[in-house]
């Protein structure tokens, strides 16, 4: 039965290719989106956004400037599709992130959220890591805090000392 299903899927894909002669976007060529749609701006450049969060329970309202630091994940959760969408980890260069971060601070952003599917995987493909990135970012002068989104518990345990120092120094607004 399994072979029959696989053959049917292969046949469906062949029929689709015969009918549709254009480009197809799949999880395997997602980073070719720029070329496929002939974008003036890179898909990877569309990584920053400012969002307002309102927490009605405590009457808290804050603007967070999101800065994507990488694509993909280093974990293999059975329920998750991230590995199918981003099969290879792809980190932005530390220099680019630092430049974007400092620009965001100069523009008056006070809460800057580092985000990704798994920020703890940052740099595993470029021989660096999130701790080195944070150390560099925290050299930036100014009135800001950093939110760390999608941080895995194993990373928090391994780097408890650094994270605790940054929280005590008032530089981390969210873990």
């Amino acid at each position: 039965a399994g072979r029959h299903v696989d053959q049917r899927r292969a046949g469906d894909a062949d029929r689709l290719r015969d009918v549709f002669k254009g480009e197809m976007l799949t999880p395997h060529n997602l980073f070719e989106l720029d070329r496929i749609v002939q974008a003036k701006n890179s898909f990877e450049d569309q990584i920053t956004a400012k969002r307002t969060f309102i927490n009605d329970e405590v009457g808290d309202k804050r603007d967070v400037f999101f800065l994507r630091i990488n694509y993909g994940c280093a974990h293999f959760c059975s329920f998750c599709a991230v590995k199918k969408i981003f099969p290879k980890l792809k980190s932005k260069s530390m220099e680019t992130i630092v430049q974007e971060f400092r620009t965001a601070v100069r523009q008056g952003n006070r809460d800057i959220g580092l985000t990704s599917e798994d920020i703890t995987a940052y740099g595993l493909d470029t021989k660096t890591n999130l701790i080195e990135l944070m150390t560099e970012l925290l050299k930036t002068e100014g009135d800001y805090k950093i939110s760390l989104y999608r941080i895995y518990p194993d990373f928090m345990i391994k780097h408890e000392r650094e994270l605790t120092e940054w929280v005590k120094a008032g530089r981390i607004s969210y873990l």
Side-chain angles (χ1 to χ4, degrees), residues 113-125:
L114 303 185
T115 191
S116 156
E117 292 74 30
D118 171 12
I119 69 168
T120 63
Y122 172 75
L124 296 177
D125 58 327

Side-chain angles (χ1 to χ4, degrees), residues 27 63 74 80 89 106 108 113 115 136 141 154 160 174:
D63 290 328
C80 186
L89 185 64
R106 275 195 308 275
T115 191
E136 196 62 33
E141 302 266 331
D154 59 341
E160 177 185 5
Y174 180 88

Side-chain angles (χ1 to χ4, degrees), residues 62-91:
R62 64 188 182 114
D63 290 328
V64 179
F65 184 87
F66 285 97
L67 183 59
R68 179 181 271 280
I69 62 173
N70 63 289
Y71 293 88
C73 180
H75 294 81
F76 295 91
C77 303
S78 62
F79 57 83
C80 186
V82 167
K83 289 284 190 194
K84 292 185 187 306
I85 298 168
F86 301 108
K88 290 184 180 178
L89 185 64
K90 183 172 171 101
S91 298

